[in-house]
Amino acid sequence: MDKDVHMPAALLARQQLDSGLKPDRLRHEQEQAHFNELYLLAPVGYFVIGFDGRILQANVAGARLLGVPRAAVGGHRFRDFVRRAWREEFDGFFESAINSRAPRRKQLEMTCADHGVPGPVVVLASADGSGQACRIVVEPVDGKLAALERSEERFRRIVHCADEGIWEIDALGFITFVNPKMAALLGCELEDLLEQPLVRFMDEEGRTRFEAHDVRRQHGRGERAELKFIRCDGAELWTSAATTPIFDVAGNYLGALALVTDITRSKASAERIWHQANFDELTGLPNRHMFRDRLGQEMHRADRGATFVALLFIDLDHFKEVNDRLGHAVGDALLAEAARRVKACVRATDTLARLGGDEFTVILAGLERVGSVDRIAQAIVDTLSRPFELGGERAEVSASVGIALYPADARAPDELLQRADQAMYASKNGGRNRYNFFTRDLQEAALARQAVAGELRAAIEEQQFEILYQPIISLRTGAVHKAEALLRWRHPTRGLLAPAQFIPFAESSGMIVEIGDWVFREAARQVQRWQRSIAADFQVSVNKSPVQFRRDAGQYQGWLDYLRELALPPQSIVVEISESALAGGADALLGRLAQYRMLGLQVALDHFGSGYASMAYLKRYDIDFVKIDPSLAQTLEGEGGELALYEAIVAMAHKLGLKVVAEGVENAAQRRLLLEAGCDYAQGYMFGHPMTAHDLETLATRILA
Ligand code: C2E
Ligand code: CA
């Protein structure tokens, strides 16, 4: 037998079925399906015939027997293929078969048995249990063995020429047989396929699916499923595959056989139709239909995750004028560019959709703070107010944005969209080129934030920021070794403001990055002076809020250059990072810490012991100092105070080579206990409140003297 067409195990399985030795695992409800698949490939002609004598179905061998393509057998009358001389007898036989419960058997001759040569056949006919049709099996009349040999021969021809791809795998999933059609579908040579794992011709997703079905196959479940293959040229081949498991007589799983039809084309057009139904052609964005789906899903997710969803309704201002003045083609180009700009303002996980015309929506999901919605809305307003250059034409529009929140403003998707739309109209009425929250409180708060953000911008330009320094002393000697830089804002009308009064605004408006940069450079200049006037190894520490920490990645190079310019060793600056930063994704933090270390800066873990961090963090992160939260100092003297905790932190920190700074030290008793606990440094009102650089220098020289 040739290498490429040996006998699939299906024949073996068929023999089992014929001899009544069905494997136990072949459950009753699947039996019918298996029969169907097996008969499709059986080496005998198999037909389902309506009571009017017309053929409803034929298997591969049957179609070949008639010389008619399998897809075209429907509608032919079976008797037309019976030799004229036998037709009357056949009619009587057919009549009696459909009226009888038992199968009828008859030998007769057909006109074009197999490849056109008429010959005697045995016809076995039985009425279908449904009472709708009759099944007919056509076999050559030769003796049993000869018949089997001939049918093998025929079978080989059939699978060789079949219109369907056929493959067989063994129990381990290696290909044991494929027909030429299958090789052609995959665009490979037969020998490239044989003895290869079938999953080699699938992608990751297809592989996972196919392997998951393995279990079902081994339990005797045949099925029809869509399988995706990757052709040898890398293209996708989508197929509909009817897979039938194969068992030996003892019921052991031997592998599976499948009949495969190419559905790549219909799949591609189905995908195109799906895409057309869900996406906007001009911008490629989800359309209204898809938007509704996503909004529903995100609202559902917010219910489970206790987060909220913000819906932004964006309407372009003056778009109609652009369209009228410059034509629709330019208008379309503007919409596409607007979509790109808005997309750049949101995360990949947010949904930007085009509802139609010049209306867009954005779904911001999984939110925890309103501040970030503000920032994104402002960014969208800003980006759309920049001029558009469109193939030599220049156009200007702006955007009116309305914001509604779920669950605060609405319960259902339509209602939320309506609220956002209403808020958008408020923006239009308010003069366009702005955003509005649906809820009045939120709107007022947003206005306040916008006002502060505007003032903060001016504050940098007008140098309204100041830094106060708080001394950090060595507990052992009492000398001032370091100072912490603490920011103040000398507000033109509200007086001197503490960080708590403006840092949150600076964070939500993004101004924190610029302010942080100013603090860093100011502190660097100061420590340079103090290394000359106080001590050569004097250090100044600067604070970084978690938000700032996540966003100021781009500034490192500038800082390094600045330190070089000042000829200042990088370890003169200590960056204080609150332990709460650890809560927002420790891996990102590790990367950032590594960047600081690369610059040569030192790092202090601030507010240690206030909640988030555990002792284990000290080991995990590359840091130089631990600053123990002032809240711990408050309870130091009471009954069962925190002294033991200090001792434990100190022991652990020292073992890891870190120094410990105790914060919030207000009296001599605390100072003494902390010294006993082994703390290295202390900071607190007892040694000095945050003070001007000048005052700190005086204090430092006095204690040192
Ligand atoms: P922090 O890092 O915990 O700073 C120490 C705060 O504790 C300071 O408040 C300081 O005045 C106060 N403090 C010092 N000694 C004692 C004491 O003995 N007892 C008590 N009860 N409090 C003491 P301040 O200056 O209001 O700063 C508040 C927070 O603002 C700082 O907390 C820091 O996280 C943040 N901050 C300050 N400057 C900056 C900055 O430049 N950038 C950023 N992102 N945050 C800053
Ligand atoms: Ca601090």
Side-chain angles (χ1 to χ4, degrees):
M1 207 175 279
D2 319 343
K3 180 176 174 208
D4 54 350
V5 265
H6 71 261
M7 197 65 204
L11 202 63
L12 219 164
R14 179 184 169 261
Q15 285 162 6
Q16 288 165 26
L17 291 172
D18 282 352
S19 60
L21 280 168
K22 295 169 206 157
D24 279 352
R25 281 182 279 181
L26 221 60
R27 288 281 156 258
H28 197 69
E29 78 263 16
Q30 294 142 13
E31 219 164 87
Q32 191 62 45
H34 286 188
F35 255 77
N36 290 346
E37 301 300 355
L38 288 170
Y39 269 102
L40 206 51
L41 284 180
V44 294
Y46 182 75
F47 300 89
V48 180
I49 298 188
F51 283 173
D52 60 355
R54 292 192 186 277
I55 302 173
L56 300 174
Q57 265 180 39
N59 72 348
V60 178
R64 192 157 171 82
L65 187 82
L66 305 185
V68 177
R70 205 160 74 77
V73 293
H76 282 289
R77 293 191 327 161
F78 188 83
R79 85 187 285 276
D80 296 342
F81 296 92
V82 175
R83 260 184 112 170
R84 204 172 290 277
W86 289 89
R87 282 198 191 146
E88 244 172 68
E89 239 179 281
F90 172 78
D91 291 343
F93 163 73
F94 186 66
E95 176 87 38
S96 80
I98 57 180
N99 289 318
S100 153
R101 307 188 102 201
R104 294 290 155 115
R105 192 184 177 87
K106 181 156 195 64
Q107 184 171 335
L108 46 77
E109 282 183 35
M110 294 187 70
T111 48
C112 54
D114 212 334
H115 39 289
V117 186
V121 291
V122 170
V123 179
L124 192 72
S126 51
D128 189 282
S130 67
Q132 305 289 318
C134 176
R135 295 162 197 250
I136 290 190
V137 180
V138 182
E139 261 190 298
V141 283
D142 319 30
K144 263 226 155 177
L145 210 65
L148 195 62
E149 269 169 19
R150 269 198 54 191
S151 40
E152 271 198 34
E153 197 52 42
R154 201 170 293 163
F155 185 79
R156 281 209 276 153
R157 265 200 313 278
I158 293 166
V159 294
H160 208 82
C161 309
D163 246 2
E164 280 102 346
I166 299 169
W167 52 256
E168 187 199 61
I169 50 171
D170 64 15
L172 296 175
F174 284 81
I175 301 174
T176 48
F177 172 83
V178 276
N179 70 344
K181 177 70 183 187
M182 189 67 217
L185 287 177
L186 285 173
C188 324
E189 298 297 326
L190 279 168
E191 39 277 35
D192 298 338
L193 296 166
L194 286 172
E195 284 159 32
Q196 296 295 323
L198 182 68
V199 291
R200 241 197 67 192
F201 303 92
M202 296 176 182
D203 60 8
E204 196 54 45
E205 180 202 338
R207 213 167 291 162
T208 317
R209 253 180 57 145
F210 189 75
E211 279 162 1
H213 288 189
D214 222 31
V215 181
R216 299 229 286 271
R217 281 192 289 277
Q218 299 198 16
H219 283 81
R221 299 258 290 269
E223 61 194 344
R224 182 170 280 284
E226 283 188 1
L227 286 185
K228 185 171 90 175
F229 289 91
I230 302 298
R231 285 169 46 96
C232 291
D233 61 9
E236 290 184 355
L237 166 72
W238 277 97
T239 66
S240 164
T243 313
T244 309
I246 307 162
F247 297 91
D248 66 10
V249 178
N252 299 312
Y253 176 69
L254 294 180
L257 177 76
L259 208 70
V260 165
T261 319
D262 182 358
I263 55 162
T264 310
R265 266 213 199 154
S266 60
K267 189 84 186 168
S269 68
E271 220 147 81
R272 207 168 39 244
I273 290 167
W274 180 81
H275 204 268
Q276 278 164 0
N278 288 287
F279 289 85
D280 167 47
E281 213 175 317
L282 176 64
T283 57
L285 296 176
N287 63 11
R288 184 182 286 270
H289 180 250
M290 178 85 144
F291 158 75
R292 288 273 325 246
D293 266 14
R294 293 260 179 98
L295 183 59
Q297 284 167 13
E298 293 300 356
M299 287 166 76
H300 202 65
R301 205 168 296 161
D303 289 340
R304 279 175 306 172
T307 54
F308 70 88
V309 177
L311 177 61
L312 277 57
F313 195 110
I314 306 168
D315 187 282
L316 298 185
D317 308 319
H318 315 297
F319 176 72
K320 194 174 168 311
E321 282 105 289
V322 174
N323 234 356
D324 292 347
R325 188 167 60 85
L326 300 173
H328 287 280
V330 175
D332 283 356
L334 189 146
L335 290 174
E337 170 63 15
R340 270 192 294 277
R341 288 190 191 176
V342 176
K343 199 151 198 170
C345 299
V346 302
R347 300 167 299 183
T349 47
D350 296 327
T351 301
L352 166 63
R354 180 176 173 222
L355 297 195
D358 58 354
E359 291 176 350
F360 296 86
T361 49
V362 177
I363 306 169
L364 303 175
L367 298 171
E368 281 162 7
R369 295 171 5 144
V370 180
S372 48
V373 179
D374 254 0
R375 203 178 56 250
I376 293 168
Q378 188 60 54
I380 291 172
V381 167
D382 290 345
T383 190
L384 292 176
S385 67
R386 285 190 290 113
F388 288 77
E389 304 287 347
L390 305 160
E393 299 286 358
R394 190 183 160 93
E396 287 193 30
V397 294
S398 58
S400 295
V401 178
I403 307 170
L405 305 181
Y406 174 82
D409 296 337
R411 293 304 309 167
D414 281 341
E415 197 188 355
L416 191 65
L417 186 63
Q418 221 175 21
R419 300 276 190 261
D421 190 28
Q422 268 169 277
M424 186 275 290
Y425 270 101
S427 291
K428 287 247 186 244
N429 293 334
R432 304 190 155 101
N433 192 26
R434 69 194 57 220
Y435 65 86
N436 248 80
F437 280 92
F438 172 74
T439 307
R440 179 190 291 200
D441 290 356
L442 283 175
Q443 182 54 21
E444 279 169 6
L447 287 176
R449 279 194 296 269
Q450 281 169 26
V452 178
E455 287 180 345
L456 280 170
R457 221 159 281 146
I460 292 190
E461 281 157 26
E462 288 164 25
Q463 300 181 345
Q464 294 167 4
F465 288 114
E466 290 171 14
I467 297 181
L468 296 185
Y469 295 90
Q470 188 175 30
I472 299 172
I473 61 123
S474 157
L475 269 167
R476 215 163 34 78
T477 65
V480 180
H481 265 240
K482 313 174 198 303
E484 175 172 2
L486 294 161
L487 187 62
R488 298 291 181 266
W489 180 9
R490 195 166 293 281
H491 192 275
T493 54
R494 293 162 68 199
L496 195 65
L497 302 181
Q501 293 166 280
F502 63 89
I503 293 277
F505 296 107
E507 287 180 346
S508 69
S509 64
M511 294 294 295
I512 189 70
V513 176
E514 225 173 303
I515 296 172
D517 189 51
W518 179 83
V519 171
F520 184 92
R521 287 162 196 265
E522 186 69 20
R525 280 196 297 277
Q526 188 57 58
V527 74
Q528 189 199 32
R529 273 176 240 136
W530 283 339
Q531 287 190 348
R532 286 197 287 260
S533 61
I534 304 177
D537 59 353
F538 201 89
Q539 288 181 308
V540 168
S541 58
V542 295
N543 289 280
K544 284 215 173 285
S545 64
V547 176
Q548 183 177 1
F549 189 58
R550 283 196 289 273
R551 287 221 225 114
D552 61 6
Q555 297 182 320
Y556 299 144
Q557 190 53 45
W559 291 345
L560 195 59
D561 293 344
Y562 193 64
L563 294 177
R564 274 207 204 107
E565 214 174 285
L566 297 178
L568 198 64
Q571 67 270 23
S572 314
I573 304 276
V574 181
V575 178
E576 296 195 4
I577 297 161
S578 176
E579 66 160 39
S580 63
L582 301 178
D587 281 351
L589 185 84
L590 277 174
R592 282 302 157 78
L593 287 182
Q595 275 172 309
Y596 286 136
R597 305 288 301 199
M598 242 161 52
L599 295 187
L601 302 174
Q602 295 210 319
V603 177
L605 192 58
D606 211 358
H607 309 138
F608 190 79
S610 62
Y612 295 97
S614 73
M615 294 282 227
Y617 283 146
L618 298 185
K619 254 193 258 176
R620 187 156 0 130
Y621 297 104
D622 202 1
I623 50 179
D624 304 276
F625 298 96
V626 191
K627 296 190 78 171
I628 303 178
D629 198 67
S631 60
L632 264 70
Q634 309 308 313
T635 55
L636 200 51
E637 298 149 278
E639 278 290 301
E642 304 287 359
L643 192 61
L645 190 53
Y646 275 93
E647 282 168 349
I649 296 173
V650 168
M652 173 74 122
H654 283 175
K655 216 165 153 191
L656 296 167
L658 316 177
K659 299 275 188 219
V660 180
V661 185
E663 281 201 85
V665 183
E666 296 183 352
N667 57 51
Q670 289 170 340
R671 179 185 184 173
R672 187 178 43 76
L673 286 168
L674 291 168
L675 183 63
E676 276 170 26
C679 288
D680 304 283
Y681 302 100
Q683 175 181 355
Y685 294 160
M686 182 191 170
F687 312 103
H689 285 254
M691 57 187 81
T692 62
H694 177 266
D695 289 350
L696 186 120
E697 191 169 326
T698 315
L699 179 83
T701 37
R702 204 184 59 219
I703 293 182
L704 276 176

